[in-house]
Amino acid sequence: MTTATDITYRLPQERKLVTELPGPRSMEIGARRLAAVAAGVGSTVPVFATDADGGVIVDVDGNSLIDLGSGIAVTSVGASNSAVAAAVAEQAAHFTHTCFMVTPYEGYVAVAEKLNEITPGDFDKRTVLFNSGAEAVENAVKIARLSTRRNAVVTFDHAYHGRTNLTMAMTAKSMPYKRNFGPFAPEVYRMPMSYPYRDELGSDGVAAAKRAISMIEKQVGAETTAAIVIEPIQGEGGFIVPAPGFLSTLAEWCTAHRVLFIADEVQAGFARTGTWFACEQEGVEPDLITMAKGIAGGMPLSAVTGRADIMDTVHGGGLGGTYGGNPVACAAALAAIEQMESLDLCGRARHIETIITETLTATADELAGAGLPVIGDIRGRGAMIAVELVTPAEDGTATREPNPDLTAAAAKAALAQGVVALTCGTYGNVLRLLPPLVIGDDLLRDGLAVLCQAIKDNA
Ligand SMILES: Cc1ncc(COP(=O)(O)O)c(CNCCCC(=O)O)c1O
């Protein structure tokens, strides 16, 4: 397996603070932002980036921060991967756009061929490219509804699928994604998720699936259901890994009732969980799979790949969009996927998982031993790991009461020390680790040490 020592970096891989955060230049730009950018766009970090490479982001004041977020699971190969940057420059120097629906180009075809190859399922496939994850999910639902001539779409509690009207309807959490943005698209039905840490069915994935199936059959009806759409590991909802058997039991039911199984791998895909796609680890071959984020090294690109006999039911001209499969994004994707292969980033993700879980587990044990059992759960796969924080009882015994205040305080304290860590979860009580897969071991360990100390200091 490639280790980080085989990866070369353009920037020093260090955590270095030369000002308070935000520094003076960031504050200047921050004032301009207030006067120019809509207030609805939030930002986690109050500084402005000027450079990024490997596991660091450098801000306009010269601070070098450890990036444990990868821009929300996007810059897996690094935010300025040299192969991706070269491919982008080369393509842009020739043409940035012709519109594939007008004058097509090979890059789009090559990306489609690659996605058909690396996605789960040894069957004939077809791919269509878009720009964002939500756009891919929207189109996967369009394809499913057309090919089945059914309208109902089943999603799950704690799900996140996007911010467009249909994907908001599919997303579970109201704030900040949905509140007052309705009315939402009809024919979307939400079923209980397998959330082992909080589910009374715990690690019995088959029972959890049967619970959902029973509700689908009573409340929706298989014969009116076009598709089940599910994240194999739920992202924004809190890195929820369903219990073994949950996904495969759902997939089997789908097959038996001609309901399409759509895996939303926008966040879990592209080596992030230690395999190309997370559903591989459950032995599930989805009928359609949606992809984005890590696909193109930071360039905006998304995709729907699926069984050819489903994808090709759509009439000519029924799928598209002006920028879908932009040539520069396609060049970036081919380079990024090549980097994932040549650097064995699936192997690196599994290596990162070991480092993260060992470090977090040691901290959980230390805190519990000190009568502060605030780490309720450590879960995830590969470089998609979460720690769920909870509030101990007055007498110091463990509870499962979500602790969003500690979560926010720990992330804030880590940032003040130069470590960018993201939070998530239905209850706002999950710290998530999404480092670039090219981050070096030493830098990762430094970032984890800061984050764990921030949890301990605020527990
Ligand atoms: C599983 C899954 N499906 C779909 C999407 C949507 O992808 P877009 O590229 O953000 O549209 C996501 C995006 N997740 C990060 C959203 C960040 C935010 O907007 O606050 C996802 O994780």
Side-chain angles (χ1 to χ4, degrees), residues 72 131-135 137 160-163 177 231 233 235-236 264-268 290 292-293 432:
I72 318 180
N131 307 282
S132 70
E135 195 180 0
V137 174
Y160 181 93
H161 296 291
R163 295 174 179 260
Y177 308 116
E231 302 155 82
I233 297 178
E236 305 307 314
D264 182 352
E265 295 245 14
V266 166
Q267 184 151 181
T290 56
K293 290 185 185 285
R432 51 174 160 171

Side-chain angles (χ1 to χ4, degrees), residues 76-117:
S76 303
V77 299
S80 60
N81 178 291
S82 56
V84 172
V88 165
E90 168 68 11
Q91 177 57 52
H94 287 277
F95 64 93
T96 58
H97 176 82
T98 60
C99 184
F100 192 76
M101 298 188 298
V102 177
T103 310
Y105 37 89
E106 185 194 6
Y108 188 119
V109 176
V111 170
E113 290 169 338
K114 195 63 182 176
L115 298 183
N116 294 344
E117 174 197 334

